[in-house]
């Protein structure tokens, strides 16, 4: 019986994870899947035919240790998806700069290290309204701030503490996130699978379920498919799993918010064929890399 490991985290109690649907589909096809926390020591990785990075949603707290784990698995000769090289590239959100240089529309972004009051006020003046600040290495909206054009002194002090000697990125707040939400399109093994719409809870701006976001199935239009294809075409290698997060800008065009290819939540439960499409992609991936 072929064996697969899904890389996860130790404490899953705070998260909505539906990988059991994919695991059940793989089991129907004769696969055995273990969910293995990435921090677990002494794992016999060579016992697996492949390792899929699925839900290690605390990696941002110790990215160097996480990358070391991924590299150690690959060093055992076990296929890892997505690859360690593309994971390393995607871990820092500076990848957005590279995609923008390649012609991908992104939300306008400024970058820096450390934030004092003057820098915060300069960002508000530059964007001319509400803006977002978050770490360059981040997940789950951790340490993500929605700020008015002129933050007060207490907020500036909090930002200074949070980003002391830490890389950050800042973007104008995209108003459509509140009225329309974000859209995520999923591709498995280079093939479109399904899509969702994510709308924040009333009074919030974060679309993740863990923050009260509402997730519903979505049928993408031609423009969303075209934007997604353009984005994925810039990635230099094939991907087992990819989630493209799009937002509508004020000029009615689509911009990339995030390209999630490390450990994307895949929302299998929102589409009856998603788990099967994922299992098909896993089989093709292992055929190529086995």
């Amino acid at each position: 019986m072929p064996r697969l490991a899904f890389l996860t985290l130790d404490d899953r109690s705070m998260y909505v994870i539906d990988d059991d649907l994919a695991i059940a589909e793989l089991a129907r096809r004769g696969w055995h899947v273990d969910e293995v926390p990435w921090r677990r020591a002494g794992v016999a990785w060579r016992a697996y035919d492949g390792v899929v990075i699925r839900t290690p949603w605390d990696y941002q707290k110790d990215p160097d240790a996480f990358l070391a784990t991924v590299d150690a698995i690959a060093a055992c000769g076990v296929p890892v998806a997505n690859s360690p090289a593309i994971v390393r590239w995607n871990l820092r959100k500076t990848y957005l700069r590279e995609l923008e240089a390649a012609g991908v529309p992104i939300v306008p972004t400024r970058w820096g290290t450390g934030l004092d009051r003057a820098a915060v006020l300069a960002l508000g003046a530059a964007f001319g309204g509400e803006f977002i600040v978050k770490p360059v290495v981040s997940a789950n909206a951790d340490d993500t701030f929605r700020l008015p054009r002129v933050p007060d002194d207490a907020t500036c002090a909090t930002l200074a503490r949070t980003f002391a000697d830490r890389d950050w990125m800042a973007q104008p707040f995209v108003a459509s996130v509140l009225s329309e939400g974000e859209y995520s399109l999923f591709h498995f093994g280079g093939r479109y699978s399904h899509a969702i719409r994510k709308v924040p809870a009333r009074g919030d701006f974060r679309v993740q379920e863990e923050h009260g976001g509402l997730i519903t199935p979505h049928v993408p239009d031609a423009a969303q498919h075209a934007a997604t294809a353009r984005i994925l075409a810039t990635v230099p290698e094939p991907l087992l799993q990819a989630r493209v997060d799009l937002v509508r800008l004020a000029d009615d065009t689509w911009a990339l918010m995030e390209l999630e290819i490390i450990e994307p939540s895949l929302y299998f439960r929102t589409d009856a064929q998603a788990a099967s499409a994922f299992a098909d992609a896993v089989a093709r991936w292992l055929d190529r890399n086995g």
Side-chain angles (χ1 to χ4, degrees):
M1 174 184 291
R3 296 188 68 195
L4 198 68
F6 277 10
L7 216 58
T8 186
L9 75 167
D10 293 300
D11 183 3
R12 297 151 55 99
S13 61
M14 300 294 292
Y15 302 97
V16 180
I17 298 174
D18 58 3
D19 279 8
D20 57 308
L21 298 173
I23 291 170
E25 177 61 29
L26 287 162
R28 281 192 287 272
R29 301 177 183 214
W31 286 83
H32 174 83
V33 180
D34 292 323
E35 293 182 282
V36 183
W38 69 270
R39 294 181 185 273
R40 181 177 294 172
V43 178
W45 297 113
R46 288 187 178 88
Y48 295 103
D49 297 281
V51 176
V52 181
I53 304 170
R54 281 301 310 120
T55 56
W57 292 340
D58 60 349
Y59 78 86
Q60 73 279 7
K61 297 177 181 177
D62 197 348
D64 290 339
F66 174 71
L67 290 173
T69 295
V70 173
D71 288 340
I73 297 169
C76 292
V78 179
V80 180
N82 288 316
S83 77
I86 206 70
V87 165
R88 194 175 297 273
W89 173 77
N90 193 234
L91 186 136
R92 293 181 57 82
K93 296 188 190 303
T94 46
Y95 73 82
L96 289 166
R97 287 193 299 208
E98 297 181 37
L99 295 185
E100 183 181 31
V104 171
I106 69 168
V107 177
T109 306
R110 295 188 176 223
W111 312 85
T113 303
L115 267 181
D116 58 19
R117 182 176 181 276
V120 174
L121 296 179
L123 287 172
F127 290 132
E130 284 190 290
F131 61 105
I132 298 290
V133 175
K134 59 185 176 182
V136 167
V137 178
S138 65
N140 308 319
D142 291 354
D143 291 333
T144 296
F145 296 82
R146 177 186 174 187
L147 303 166
R149 182 175 186 272
V150 182
D152 59 32
D153 289 345
T155 300
C156 289
T158 297
L159 291 166
R161 289 192 301 272
T162 302
F163 294 99
D165 300 319
R166 192 177 182 191
D167 295 338
W168 52 263
M169 58 187 290
Q171 299 174 322
F173 182 70
V174 179
S176 67
V177 170
L178 297 183
S179 60
E180 186 175 4
E182 292 182 15
Y183 297 89
S184 293
L185 281 71
F186 303 89
H187 282 239
F188 300 150
R191 302 178 186 179
Y192 171 72
S193 170
H194 62 294
I196 58 171
R197 178 186 177 199
K198 304 176 288 185
V199 180
R202 184 180 298 275
D204 207 327
F205 67 98
R206 298 166 297 182
V207 298
Q208 293 87 351
E209 293 164 288
E210 290 78 13
H211 300 297
L214 176 64
I215 311 298
T216 56
H218 172 67
V219 178
D221 60 22
Q224 289 175 320
H225 276 302
T228 299
R230 182 179 183 182
I231 292 161
L232 292 176
T234 66
V235 181
E237 63 181 63
L239 302 171
L240 171 62
Q241 53 186 358
R243 191 183 89 208
V244 178
D245 293 340
L246 301 174
V247 291
R248 192 189 301 273
L249 298 182
D251 63 359
D252 204 37
T253 61
W254 294 108
L256 175 66
M257 180 67 80
E258 296 275 5
L259 172 59
E260 298 280 2
I261 56 178
I262 298 177
E263 33 62 76
S265 182
L266 298 178
Y267 299 94
F268 294 115
R269 68 189 179 279
T270 65
D271 185 275
Q273 301 303 314
S276 179
F278 185 75
D280 288 344
V282 169
R284 295 193 304 270
W285 167 65
L286 286 168
D287 281 344
R288 291 194 307 271
N289 294 280

